[in-house]
Amino acid sequence: SYRGLTVPLSGLFQARNAATAIEAVRQLRGFSVGEDDMRRGLRAVQWPGRMQQICSRPVIVIDGAHNPNAARQLRDSARRRWPEGKVVELVGVLADKDFSEVGHLMAPLAKCIVTVTPPDNPRALDAGALADCLRQYHGHVSTADSVPHALEQALDAAGPDGAILAFGSLSWLGALRRAVEERGL
């Protein structure tokens, strides 16, 4: 029944999330949340690491998609944003996730894939092992020995007018953000 709602988050799934949040608020008993408050709340929402653009030249988007369901949502949103596909994918995951299925879902969008080992995490999957797995889905997969090196490879592959989609474990996306800031992008 609400028209013209604004949600500043990217991703097709965010409209469904907003609708779910509104319905949850409507079902609360003993609380009164007005329409203006709901609109204000939706406009102010932030969710770091979910289809979050952190750079514009080239476009760099980060997303914590690390399981098949999240990868499906990311894939659908990425297809809408880049219908021609061919984004540079930068991927780091934890070993206890279904990284093979995530790769299967995401590889068709990739121009090339760069893998990285999430730093400082004992559950991190080695970049080489991830690359070996992803090669069954894509012919252009390389590894990087650090997050800054992975960023460098992705920037070279994307060029200034390209797009980089970095995803997987949230545990390494903070390091990527710092590497982007250190380069002054």
Side-chain angles (χ1 to χ4, degrees):
S1 63
Y2 299 104
R3 301 276 182 227
L5 294 173
T6 301
V7 180
L9 301 174
S10 298
L12 299 174
F13 54 91
Q14 298 301 355
R16 287 188 299 273
N17 288 348
T20 301
I22 289 169
E23 187 58 27
V25 167
R26 289 177 47 161
Q27 297 300 318
L28 291 173
R29 302 288 185 233
F31 293 92
S32 177
V33 179
E35 182 176 339
D36 288 342
D37 291 327
M38 278 196 276
R39 288 180 182 279
R40 217 174 2 265
L42 286 175
R43 279 193 309 269
V45 72
Q46 296 180 15
W47 196 352
R50 291 308 312 240
M51 280 297 288
Q52 181 184 19
Q53 184 170 323
I54 61 170
C55 185
S56 60
R57 191 159 163 83
V59 170
I60 301 175
V61 172
I62 61 174
D63 193 280
H66 63 274
N67 62 51
N69 184 50
R72 280 185 204 89
Q73 300 297 323
L74 176 59
R75 179 197 61 198
D76 294 347
S77 295
R79 279 186 179 155
R80 184 170 180 161
R81 183 161 184 181
W82 300 289
E84 71 285 351
K86 305 308 173 201
V87 298
V88 175
E89 292 182 357
L90 190 48
V91 189
V93 297
L94 301 182
D96 59 354
K97 302 301 178 188
D98 188 356
F99 52 86
S100 181
E101 182 62 15
V102 170
H104 179 256
L105 291 164
M106 294 301 298
L109 299 173
K111 172 182 178 181
C112 64
I113 302 170
V114 180
T115 63
V116 64
T117 305
D120 305 319
N121 193 320
R123 294 173 33 226
L125 180 66
D126 177 73
L130 178 58
D132 289 344
C133 173
L134 297 182
R135 285 187 181 106
Q136 68 185 311
Y137 307 119
H138 201 283
H140 296 93
V141 181
S142 62
T143 62
D145 59 8
S146 68
V147 172
H149 184 229
L151 175 62
E152 186 68 33
Q153 286 186 39
L155 290 169
D156 288 346
D161 297 321
I164 298 169
L165 181 58
F167 62 93
S169 171
L170 285 169
S171 69
W172 76 274
L173 294 176
L176 176 63
R177 177 182 282 243
R178 285 188 297 280
V180 167
E181 290 170 359
E182 287 169 4
R183 288 186 59 99
L185 297 174

